[in-house]
């Protein structure tokens, strides 16, 4: 037998290629792509993942001695092949070492060997029987058993069935006698978690019984016509799974969640796995209870706040195929779901899908690539799809599915606008109208939600005469005030200027600084309504899952009159008693020094407004703004998201911004301010020189900057950045590969750290 070799990538290292090891014959059967192995690296022991196995080696320098793999760590490969492929793509696309990608994907310290799935007698549905008819289906118990089995994809373990269905034996025996169900003894075997063996022998996990109404509530909710049509459109891709992106474009309260549930149900029935991504812990808490009720034991929940032990267990449950549904935030996109044939990305526009440190990936984009690799439909839902997604629909790369009205034809809330320029006094927090409305709401025993848009963009100046914020001379971005050198600076191109005495637009001497926080608003609420019970939700007050749950619970159970908060209160929540939404400072996002500012703001305002009037009572939304006639604000007021997208796409095209171009941020940081500046300047020189060469071969690259980042100093590091713009993704790939290659090991960059952020969420 020929000697076998494996290419192994060492976990956690910055080495960007695999190392070669020989495979001892005793391990020949066990070492496969995706296997975790222990190897020697220099003098130490290290863990690695096998990329590929072959019987030859590439040309290697003579000095390299090929060492044997010491052992495998798990019974079966830790990484299924599709996930390994995804990780390789992620590593390349985000310019991040593969070993570190793998380290992030496999939970830290995860060492439970991937063993065979749990065993015991298995049950298999033989006939597909009609629940209403059929000799042996006379008893309720028999019906329930068949339903459970169907939902479990046709097979289940007796052990699991017993957990969900009391005393099933009598009915079960009858079903077996009548040939509706067959018993099969599942044997323990190594590698039982490979798809082939799990289909053949061991059974898929069984679902839990529903809530109060038992399992029947699955069929109780009649779908609306739009919901039905949405499912029909996706049906072919569920029956014969293949890659297809869908955009479920449904207004707030249109019943998108029910569609997700039905899709997952269908995947379960086919014996397939599903991955459901939701933006933040906040929503997953709410979604979790909904999904738990339907899928019980078949569901694994995954988010960064999970304790270590639960993370490991969830990973093992999913990897072994004991569970086949994952509901989770961002990083759940890397869960090793078996037979993955459905991916759902809820609120796909949400910026929390973007990871802003280490591996700077966007889970929404990674989900698409995962769907492509797995051959699965990807359903991206939103009331306000991202501009990128809208563009994808226009280009017919995505199929859009519309849900244009709320369930039960509940009206969408109506906006009332308050022009804060005319208000005066009150510190710009409460207009007369909003104050009255909050008082009225509290008196009538309903709840008010007050939203403060505070994205921490720092201080900026607005002219109280014309409402214009001070902007850069050559970019459509708001200038940020820097106290240290008393200047206003553009965070896109780096241009700066001292604070002018008069507004450059209307020449009035009426420039005032802006920006305040929730604490101040809370104080003001308490001053105006001393008896009101206020719940505040922001990053300062809600720093744990428990706090979040208790805050949400206080609102739901009526222990609060006013819910006050930032972005956290805007999303997903379904509070039927909230009839008033007050948007304190609609403009804050408008002034963000970022080309996406308008997009993010409209999305946010429409989301916040969507929290009102979800119960019996219609909703009212009061929006305070200094710019009532600004296009972005107007679009939100009219709930005209389509109109906004048309205009926005047009202007992005003119200004050559994404989605018409590709953007990448290079962040240069150092504990020494001067080093960061020098490093960034030098990097820009390298980039410009490479860009010139690129242009000579007919490819276009633009280099912008360097300039100080919006947060000039974070965690004691000074930050400078520059932006790279290309017109195709492949140009970006080769350009950055070329730049990174040329600065690798260059001593002039020794004192700085360079971070690459592809498709950055912001320009700051
Ligand atoms: P979205 O996610 O689109 O904002 P939800 O999924 O939260 O909307 O649905 C809004 C409300 O409508 C929820 O309370 C949900 O239970 C209810 N709902 C969804 N579909 C139906 C239906 N077919 N019939 C009745 N109520 C429904
Ligand atoms: Zn500028």
């Amino acid at each position: 037998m020929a000697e076998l070799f494996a290419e192994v990538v060492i976990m956690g290292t910055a080495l960007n290629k695999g190392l070669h090891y020989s495979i001892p014959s005793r391990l020949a059967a066990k070492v496969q792509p995706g296997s975790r192995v222990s190897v020697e690296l220099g003098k130490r022991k290290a863990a690695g993942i096998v990329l590929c196995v072959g019987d030859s080696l590439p040309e290697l320098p003579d000095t390299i001695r090929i060492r044997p793999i010491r052992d495998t760590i798990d019974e079966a490969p830790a990484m299924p092949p599709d996930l390994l492929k995804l990780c390789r793509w992620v590593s390349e696309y985000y310019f991040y070492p593969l070993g570190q990608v793998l380290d992030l994907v496999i939970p830290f310290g995860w060492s439970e060997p991937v063993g065979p799935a749990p065993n015991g007698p298995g049950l298999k549905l033989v006939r597909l029987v009609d629940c209403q008819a059929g000799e042996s289906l006379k008893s309720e118990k028999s019906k329930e058993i068949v339903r459970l089995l169907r939902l479990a994809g046709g097979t289940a373990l007796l052990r699991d069935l017993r957990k969900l269905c009391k005393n099933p034996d009598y009915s079960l025996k009858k079903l077996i006698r009548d040939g509706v169900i067959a018993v099969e003894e599942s044997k323990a075997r190594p590698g039982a978690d490979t798809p082939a063996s799990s289909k053949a022998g061991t059974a898929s996990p069984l679902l839990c019984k529903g809530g109060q109404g038992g399992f029947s509530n699955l069929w109780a909710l009649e779908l609306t016509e739009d919901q039905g049509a949405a499912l029909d459109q996706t049906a072919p891709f569920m029956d014969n799974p293949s890659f297809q992106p869908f955009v479920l474009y449904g207004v707030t309260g249109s019943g998108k969640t029910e569609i997700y549930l039905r899709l997952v149900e269908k995947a379960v029935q086919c014996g397939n796995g599903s991955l459901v991504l939701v933006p933040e812990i906040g929503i997953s808490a709410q979604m979790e209870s909904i999904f738990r009720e339907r899928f019980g034991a078949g569901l694994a929940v995954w988010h960064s706040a999970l304790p270590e032990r639960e993370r490991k267990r969830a990973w093992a449950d999913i990897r072994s195929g004991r569970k086949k549904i994952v509901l989770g935030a961002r990083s759940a996109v890397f869960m090793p779901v078996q037979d993955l044939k459905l991916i759902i990305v809820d609120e796909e526009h949400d910026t929390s899908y973007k990871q802003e440190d280490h591996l700077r990936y966007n889970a929404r984009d990674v989900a698409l690539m995962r769907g492509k690799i797995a051959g699965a439909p990807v359903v991206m839902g939103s009331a306000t799809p991202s501009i990128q997604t809208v563009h994808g629909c226009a280009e017919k790369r995505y199929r859009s599915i519309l849900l244009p009205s709320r369930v039960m034809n509940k009206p969408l809330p109506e906006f009332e606008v308050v022009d804060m320029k005319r208000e005066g006094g009150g510190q710009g927090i409460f207009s007369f109208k909003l104050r009255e409305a909050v008082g009225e709401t509290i008196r009538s025993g309903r709840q008010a939600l007050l939203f403060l848009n505070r994205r921490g963009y720092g201080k900026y100046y607005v002219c109280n005469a014309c409402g214009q914020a001070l902007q850069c001379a050559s970019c459509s971005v708001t200038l940020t005030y820097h106290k240290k050198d008393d200047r206003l600076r553009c965070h896109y191109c780096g241009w700066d200027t001292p604070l002018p005495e008069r507004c450059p637009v209307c020449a009035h001497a009426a420039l005032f600084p802006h920006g305040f926080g929730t604490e101040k608003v809370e104080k003001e609420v308490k001053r105006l309504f001393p008896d009101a019970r206020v719940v505040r939700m922001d990053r300062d007050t809600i720093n744990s899952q428990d706090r979040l749950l208790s805050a949400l619970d206080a609102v739901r159970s009526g222990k609060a009159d006013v819910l006050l908060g930032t972005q956290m209160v805007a999303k997903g929540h379904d509070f039927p008693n909230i009839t008033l939404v007050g948007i304190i400072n609609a403009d804050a996002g408008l002034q963000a020094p970022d080309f996406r500012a308008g997009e993010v703001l409209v999305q946010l305002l429409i989301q916040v407004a969507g929290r009102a009037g979800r119960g019996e009572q219609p909703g009212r939304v009061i929006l305070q703004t200094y710019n009532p006639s600004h296009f972005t604000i107007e679009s939100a007021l009219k709930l005209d998201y389509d109109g906004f997208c048309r205009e926005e796409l047009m202007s992005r095209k003119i200004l050559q911004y994404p989605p018409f171009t590709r953007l990448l941020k290079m962040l240069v940081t150092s504990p020494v301010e001067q080093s960061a500046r020098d490093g960034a300047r030098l990097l820009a020189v390298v980039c410009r020189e490479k860009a010139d060469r690129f242009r000579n071969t007919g490819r276009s690259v633009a280099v912008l900057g360097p300039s100080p980042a919006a947060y000039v100093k974070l965690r004691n590091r000074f930050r400078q950045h520059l932006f790279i713009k290309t017109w195709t993704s492949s140009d970006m790939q080769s350009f950055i590969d070329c730049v990174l290659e040329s600065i690798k090991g260059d001593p002039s960059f020794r004192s700085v750290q360079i971070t690459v952020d592809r498709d950055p969420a912001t320009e700051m």
Side-chain angles (χ1 to χ4, degrees), residues 472 474-475 490 493:
C472 172
S474 48
C475 313
C490 170
C493 69

Side-chain angles (χ1 to χ4, degrees), residues 306-325:
L306 272 190
E308 186 72 27
R309 214 155 39 99
E310 286 178 38
R311 280 166 83 83
K312 286 182 197 166
R313 193 194 309 144
W315 171 273
D317 281 343
I318 287 295
R319 179 63 189 107
S320 65
R322 288 195 288 272
K323 295 185 177 183
K324 286 190 129 173
I325 308 165

Side-chain angles (χ1 to χ4, degrees), residues 471-479 489-496:
Q471 292 205 325
C472 172
S474 48
C475 313
S476 57
V477 300
T478 301
L479 296 170
R489 187 165 287 125
C490 170
H491 285 163
Y492 190 60
C493 69
W495 179 76
D496 69 352

Side-chain angles (χ1 to χ4, degrees), residues 49-62:
I49 296 278
V50 175
L51 290 181
C52 53
V53 174
D55 56 9
S56 62
L57 283 172
E59 294 246 340
L60 295 167
D62 290 342

Side-chain angles (χ1 to χ4, degrees), residues 79-80 82-84 86-87 89-90 94 101 104-105 274-278 302-303 315 318 326-337 340 342-345 353 355 359 361-371 373-374 378:
M79 284 251 151
D82 64 319
L83 186 56
L84 187 59
L86 183 78
C87 289
W89 176 82
V90 163
Y94 292 106
V101 172
L104 291 172
V105 168
S274 318
L275 180 57
V276 183
L277 300 179
V278 289
W302 180 268
H303 53 76
W315 171 273
I318 287 295
V326 174
L327 172 71
R330 192 168 62 212
S331 58
V333 75
F334 294 114
M335 288 297 276
V337 182
L340 179 61
L342 171 67
I343 299 176
I344 290 168
V345 185
Y353 282 122
Q355 170 136 319
L359 173 57
Y361 67 100
N362 187 324
R364 175 241 181 240
D365 299 339
V366 176
L368 278 175
M369 182 46 72
R370 183 136 198 216
I373 292 170
V378 181

Side-chain angles (χ1 to χ4, degrees), residues 75-76 112-122 155-157 159-160 185-206 315-324 338-339:
E75 281 299 319
E112 182 191 326
V114 179
N119 291 302
T155 56
L157 296 171
R159 204 181 59 183
D160 287 344
E185 204 58 41
S186 48
K187 295 181 272 301
R189 73 192 70 195
D193 59 336
T194 58
S197 56
S198 79
K199 280 220 172 88
T202 55
S204 41
L206 195 51
W315 171 273
D317 281 343
I318 287 295
R319 179 63 189 107
S320 65
R322 288 195 288 272
K323 295 185 177 183
K324 286 190 129 173
Q338 266 188 30
D339 307 311

